């Protein structure tokens, strides 16, 4: 396990925020097998107090993708297993215990974009750029990118990035849906942390529904999706915490929605 290449810090008054930092800046946070296994292990073992996580990369770049020095001669079976190892790790990010906010800057490329797209919210600063150099390296995405990236930007844009080596800058990345927030250079982590603090205050069942029910509902045929939505809504609203929060609003104790 390359534990020197990743750090976990638990923050907040109630130890409710996990900050996960890729610390392999000499190699631009390229993801070798050890780091992929460490990500999986870390999400499997987050302390129970944690309610939201932020992931960032140390140095000039968020992540340079797959560590190309490990791309040895693999036969088809080994290649399949390698990709499935990435899938297992990034599945722990997407369908793990807590919402994950990616704080992006510099290169978010290849497997780095696959990692970012497994997170629930992406905050990018103005130095961010996105690419899928797999196309020019003669390979294909293998970390879930073919499933997750088209859901963010559409298959046509993803194919263009891979066919032509197109690089999106931070502004265009936000415009097409690679990030939900665009912030000044150097401030992605602070903004991501603020969002994590806000998310950590939600009812845990609401966060659970957003992570686990919403993406599944969105993939279901409308009739099944509406049925699943009704079940999730019924479970969420019957929780004591939901009743308490609604009562707080009706009795003037909860914040109103403010104009943006
Ligand atoms: C690396 C990697 C890497 C840097 N694997 N070693 N990803 C790519 O094709 C992207 C390749 N990387 C780059 O295009 C650039 O490095 C960056 C734009 C990310 C950053 O540029 P820069 O000028 O800041 O850094 P650098 O000088 O290119 O790199 C510094 C060192 O990191 C250098 O090693 P050194 O020993 O010469 O100091 C680089 O070789 C090393 N390095 N990126 C290995 N990716 C599940 S499938 C996913 C498939 C993919 O992700 S394919 C896309 C791979």
């Amino acid at each position: 396990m390359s534990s020197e290449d990743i750090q976990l810090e638990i923050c907040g008054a109630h130890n409710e925020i996990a900050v996960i930092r890729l610390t392999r800046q000499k190699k631009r946070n390229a993801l070798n097998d050890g780091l992929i296994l460490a990500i999986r292990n870390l999400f499997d073992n987050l302390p129970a107090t944690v309610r939201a996580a932020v992931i960032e990369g140390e140095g000039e770049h968020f992540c340079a993708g797959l560590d190309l020095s490990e791309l040895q001669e693999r036969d088809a079976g080994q290649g399949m297993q390698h990709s499935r190892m990435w899938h297992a790790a990034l599945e722990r990010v997407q369908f793990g215990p807590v919402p994950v906010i990616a704080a992006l800057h510099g290169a978010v490329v290849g497997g780095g974009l696959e990692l970012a797209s497994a997170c629930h919210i992406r905050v990018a600063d103005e130095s961010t750029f996105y690419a899928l150099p797999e196309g020019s390296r003669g390979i294909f995405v293998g970390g879930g990118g073919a499933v997750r990236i088209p859901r963010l930007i559409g298959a046509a844009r993803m194919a263009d990035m891979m066919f032509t080596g197109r690089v999106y800058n931070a502004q265009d990345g936000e415009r097409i849906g690679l990030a939900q927030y665009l912030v000044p250079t150097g401030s992605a982590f602070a903004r991501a942390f603020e969002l994590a603090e806000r998310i950590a205050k939600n009812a845990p069942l609401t966060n659970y529904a957003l992570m686990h029910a919403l993406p599944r509902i969105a993939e279901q045929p409308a009739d099944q999706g509406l049925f699943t939505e009704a079940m999730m809504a019924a479970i969420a609203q019957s929780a004591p915490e939901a009743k308490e929060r609604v009562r707080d609003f009706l009795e003037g104790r909860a914040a109103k929605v403010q104009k943006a």
Side-chain angles (χ1 to χ4, degrees):
M1 199 78 72
S2 307
S3 53
E4 72 276 13
D5 294 336
I6 194 164
Q7 272 175 7
L8 169 65
E9 204 182 320
I10 304 296
C11 309
H14 306 287
N15 294 328
E16 72 278 26
I17 314 281
V19 173
I20 295 150
R21 192 171 294 120
L22 305 175
T23 54
R24 199 179 179 225
Q25 59 170 308
K26 274 200 315 279
K27 296 291 176 185
R28 307 308 185 246
N29 298 318
L31 299 166
N32 55 19
D33 287 0
L35 201 36
I36 289 295
L37 292 174
I39 289 172
R40 175 179 170 164
N41 187 41
L42 194 149
F43 277 90
D44 272 346
N45 293 293
L46 281 179
T49 54
V50 170
R51 296 277 173 269
V54 176
I55 185 163
E56 68 161 351
E58 214 169 70
E60 301 278 291
H61 302 284
F62 173 70
C63 176
L66 174 72
D67 186 325
L68 293 168
S69 69
E70 282 192 354
L71 195 69
Q72 318 115 343
E73 288 296 312
R74 292 194 186 100
D75 65 23
Q78 290 162 334
M80 180 89 187
Q81 280 178 17
H82 179 259
S83 170
R84 299 297 286 158
M85 178 182 77
W86 274 65
H87 291 169
L90 298 194
E91 158 126 354
R92 300 302 203 284
V93 177
Q94 183 177 4
F95 294 116
V98 296
V100 186
I101 299 112
L104 306 178
H105 72 293
V108 180
V109 304
L113 180 52
E114 297 188 283
L115 170 60
S117 60
C119 298
H120 303 90
I121 296 181
R122 283 154 295 281
V123 178
D125 84 8
E126 282 171 350
S127 72
T128 307
F129 57 98
Y130 308 89
L132 290 169
E134 287 89 339
S136 47
R137 311 258 181 255
I139 54 179
F140 190 62
V141 285
V147 169
R148 295 191 182 99
I149 297 168
R151 289 185 164 103
L152 297 177
I153 63 172
R157 283 203 180 95
M158 178 175 172
D160 175 31
M161 289 173 82
M162 294 190 71
F163 276 134
T164 66
R166 180 169 182 170
V167 179
Y168 279 96
N169 65 21
Q171 284 75 21
D172 287 339
E174 193 253 357
R175 177 178 58 79
I176 67 172
L178 285 169
Q180 291 99 319
Y181 294 83
L182 176 61
V183 297
T185 299
S187 65
F189 178 79
R191 187 60 175 278
F193 196 88
E194 269 171 35
L195 296 173
E197 285 178 311
R198 167 78 201 251
I199 290 168
K201 293 193 182 107
N202 290 340
L205 195 54
T206 299
N207 286 344
Y208 182 86
L210 291 172
M211 290 177 64
H212 295 273
L214 178 60
R216 292 183 167 95
I217 291 169
E219 296 301 317
Q220 287 179 335
D223 176 56
Q224 290 171 27
L226 293 173
F227 190 78
T228 314
E229 180 191 84
M231 285 200 294
M232 191 66 245
I235 292 168
Q237 76 193 27
S238 66
E241 184 164 353
K243 294 192 188 309
E244 199 179 307
R245 284 172 179 246
V246 170
R247 204 177 315 115
D248 282 350
F249 174 76
L250 294 174
E251 293 173 8
R253 289 188 299 273
K256 289 185 194 182
V257 177
Q258 301 286 336
K259 196 173 166 208

